[in-house]
Amino acid sequence: MAVRSGGIGGRAASIGVWVVSASIVGYAFIFGGYLSTIVAFALIYAIFVSGLNVFMGLTAQVSFGQSAFAAIGGYSSAVMTTTYGWAPLPAMLCGLVAALVAAFLIGFPTLRLKGHYLAMATLAIGLIVYEIAVEWESVTQGYMGISGIPPLGVGSLEATSDRQILLTLSALTVLVAFAMSRIRQSRLGRAFAAVAGSEEAASALGINVARYKLVSFLLAAGLASISGSLFVHVVGYVSPEVFGLHMVVLAFTMIYIGGLGTVAGPIIGALIVSLLPEMFRGLSESQDLAYGLTLIVILIYAPKGLVGLAKTFDTWRSQ
Amino acid sequence: MNAILEVRGATRRFGGLTAVDSVSFDVPERGVTAVIGPNGAGKTTLFNLIAGSMPPSEGAILLSGNEVTTLPSEARAGLGLVRTFQLVKLFQELTALENVKVGFHLRTRGGLIAALLRPRWQRQSEREVEERAKALLELVGLSAIADSSASALPYGQQRLLEIARAMASGPRVLLLDEPAAGLNAEESERLARTVRRIAADGVAVLLIEHDMKLVMDIADEVVVLDYGRKIAQGTPDAVRRDPAVIAAYLG
C-alpha cells in the first residue's frame, strides 16, 4: 500500500534517468569531437523543452508557437552583438525581455481561448515570427542570415572550445532542472497542476486560471528565448530556418519520449532524440525508418516516456 | 442569527423555461441549510447561481451583505464562498494530500521568486500547509491514503477528499452539490458526520441534496423547491409534515 502511485513529488524513480543523461554528457565531454556538438545542441533543446514542459506538462496547455520566442531570443542576441556591438549577456537579456513582452501581448488575449483555438493561435505566432525573420531584411538579412555572432562569455571569459561549451550548457541545464523541480513543489506549481487537472475546480478554490496560464506561458517563452540565444552564440550564425516548424516537431518528440510533466524528461528526451539519428547513421538509406520505428516502439512500451518507464520499474521492484 | 448568504428573488430562465423562479432565502452564519426538491425542481440551477457558475436572469446573491451576483466563482471563493461538485472534480494526477494542499492557495502567498529561492517564510508556509493539509485529511478520515493518487480512490473517498480540499481554502460558506449522490449507506453516514463537524467548527454549510434521509439527519433548516419555486421552508420536522411538500414528493 505504501507504493506511491502518482503525484508531483516522487524522486527516487528518476535517478536512473539522471545517471544515463549524465553519462551521455560525460562521454561526449571526454571523447569530444562531433558527438560533443550533438550533445551541446541536445542540451540547448533540453532547456527549450523544459520551458515547453512548464506550459504543456505542468499546466496541460498546447503551444505550437514556442519557436517564435526562440527566434526572438536568437535574433536579439545576433543583432545586438553584431550590429550594435553588445556583449553576449546583455544581448541575451534584451532577447529575454523582448520575448516576455511578445509572450504577454500574445498570451493575454489567446490564453482565454481553449483547446484547438489556442493551439491554432500559437501555430500562427510561430509562422508570423518566421515570416518577419525572412522579410525584415534590413535587420535580419533575410535568408542570408547573420554570421559572426560572438561566443558565450562574460568579460574575457569565453566558451569557445567544445568542452567549455559543453560545460557551460550542462551547468545551465542543471540550473533549469533545479528550477523546474522547485517550481513543481511550490504554491505556483500546485496552481499549475490545478489548472491542468480541472479549470473549474481550480477557480472554485480561488485560483485565477487565466493568470496562471499566462505565467506558465511566460516561463515557457523565457526559456525558449534563452535557448534561442544560446544556440546562436554557440553556432555563431542565425537564419530563419533555425527556428522553423521542425523545431516545434522535434521539441514535441523530445517531451513525449522523455516524459511529459517530469523534471528529467525534457533532458533525457532531448539527448535520446538527438542521438538516435547518429546511432542509425550506419544504416544509410533506412536510417529514417529505424529512427521512426524506435520512437514508435518507445511510445508503445513507455507511453509516459522514459521517466514514466523508470517509475514503473521502480514500482514493480518495490512490490 | 445574522444571515451570511442571502438569495434575493433569484430567477433563471432558459429560453421559455423558468428553471428557478424568484427564490429567496437566507443562510445563517452557523448551521446546515439544505435545499431539497424532486428531480427537475431547479436545485442544480439554483446551486450554480449561488456558486457563480452562471448569472441569474433576475435577482441578487449577497454574501455578508455585499452583492456578489455577477462575480466569477474564483472571486466568490476569495470572499469565502467555496463549492464542491456533483461529479467530483479532483486533480487526478495529484495525490490526496497534494489535492488538499492546492486548496490552501487563497490562504498562502508566493509566486515564481518564492518558488525558486525558497526563502525562510516560504519554507515556513509550506510546512504549515503540509501540517494543516494532513489535519484536514484526518478530519475527513483519509489520513491512511494521503499519498495515494486521487484517481485511485473509491468514489466515496473522492467525495470526502473534495470536501477536505474545499475546507483548505478557509470558507465561511461551504456549498455542497449533492454530496451523498453515489455513496453507499456507510459512506453516507461518514459524510454526515463530517458535515456536522464542519458546521460545528463555525462554517455555514449549504447543501443541495436529493437524499432525504441525509437532509433530515443533518439539516437545521430546509428549503423545498418544486418546479423552480420555493414551496416550503422550515425545520426538517416542520417541512416533513408540510402538505405542499408531501404533495410535491408523492404527487
Side-chain angles (χ1 to χ4, degrees), chain A residues 62-102:
Chain A
V62 184
S63 170
F64 293 118
Q66 293 311 106
S67 57
F69 305 112
I72 291 172
Y75 270 97
S76 299
S77 273
V79 172
M80 296 320 281
T81 53
T82 58
T83 313
Y84 299 98
W86 286 29
L89 212 55
M92 265 178 94
L93 277 176
C94 172
L96 180 61
V97 171
L100 291 178
V101 169

Side-chain angles (χ1 to χ4, degrees), chain A residues 1 4-9 179 182-183 186-188 190 193-194 198 200-201 203-208 212 219, chain B residues 73-74 77 82 85 89 91 93-95 98 101-102 105-106 108-110 112 115-118 126 148-149 165:
Chain A
M1 190 58 219
R4 243 189 119 85
S5 40
I8 47 181
R182 286 212 151 174
I183 288 173
S186 70
R187 176 174 180 267
L188 180 67
R190 289 195 293 270
S198 162
E200 259 187 286
S203 42
L205 296 168
I207 293 171
N208 185 332
Y212 280 96
L219 271 169
Chain B
S73 57
E74 76 242 29
V82 179
F85 294 88
K89 288 186 198 294
F91 308 124
E93 300 286 315
L94 306 189
T95 65
E98 285 164 350
K101 283 165 117 183
V102 173
H105 186 83
L106 277 172
T108 48
R109 291 188 303 129
L112 181 61
L116 294 180
L117 302 182
R118 238 177 241 181
E126 286 293 295
S148 301
S149 170
R165 189 181 67 182

Side-chain angles (χ1 to χ4, degrees), chain A residues 90-113:
Chain A
M92 265 178 94
L93 277 176
C94 172
L96 180 61
V97 171
L100 291 178
V101 169
F104 183 84
L105 293 177
I106 295 158
F108 198 73
T110 50
L111 290 175
R112 279 147 215 282
L113 305 176

Side-chain angles (χ1 to χ4, degrees), chain A residues 41-292:
Chain A
F41 287 159
L43 291 178
I44 294 174
Y45 259 104
I47 294 171
F48 179 77
V49 176
S50 292
L52 187 64
N53 192 35
V54 173
F55 196 60
M56 285 184 62
L58 303 189
T59 325
Q61 306 298 309
V62 184
S63 170
F64 293 118
Q66 293 311 106
S67 57
F69 305 112
I72 291 172
Y75 270 97
S76 299
S77 273
V79 172
M80 296 320 281
T81 53
T82 58
T83 313
Y84 299 98
W86 286 29
L89 212 55
M92 265 178 94
L93 277 176
C94 172
L96 180 61
V97 171
L100 291 178
V101 169
F104 183 84
L105 293 177
I106 295 158
F108 198 73
T110 50
L111 290 175
R112 279 147 215 282
L113 305 176
K114 281 194 178 176
H116 299 311
Y117 298 102
L118 176 63
M120 294 308 288
T122 56
L123 181 61
I125 295 156
L127 298 176
I128 289 166
V129 171
Y130 178 85
E131 281 306 312
I132 292 173
V134 172
E135 300 294 335
W136 197 11
E137 285 186 16
S138 59
V139 172
T140 65
Q141 299 177 32
Y143 284 118
M144 284 263 300
I146 300 170
S147 51
I149 302 164
L152 288 170
V154 184
S156 59
L157 266 173
E158 283 191 335
T160 44
S161 76
D162 284 352
R163 282 184 183 168
Q164 288 164 342
I165 290 171
L166 211 50
L167 211 58
T168 312
L169 292 176
S170 301
L172 286 173
T173 308
V174 168
L175 200 64
V176 167
F178 177 73
M180 289 301 120
S181 110
R182 286 212 151 174
I183 288 173
R184 268 163 49 111
Q185 292 171 37
S186 70
R187 176 174 180 267
L188 180 67
R190 289 195 293 270
F192 288 159
V195 173
S198 162
E199 291 187 17
E200 259 187 286
S203 42
L205 296 168
I207 293 171
N208 185 332
V209 172
R211 182 177 152 195
Y212 280 96
K213 278 189 196 172
L214 186 62
V215 171
S216 171
F217 192 57
L218 289 174
L219 271 169
L223 286 174
S225 168
I226 289 170
S227 65
S229 288
L230 290 173
F231 184 87
V232 304
H233 287 300
V234 166
V235 179
Y237 170 76
V238 67
S239 75
E241 277 85 6
V242 171
F243 305 113
L245 197 57
H246 73 94
M247 185 180 192
V248 175
V249 175
L250 209 52
F252 272 57
T253 313
M254 289 167 175
I255 211 170
Y256 282 106
I257 293 290
L260 191 67
T262 63
V263 175
I267 296 163
I268 188 76
L271 286 168
I272 296 294
V273 171
S274 303
L275 285 172
L276 276 182
E278 305 309 317
M279 291 179 194
F280 298 130
R281 193 136 301 227
L283 298 174
S284 63
E285 276 157 30
S286 43
Q287 61 167 304
D288 284 343
L289 187 68
Y291 172 68

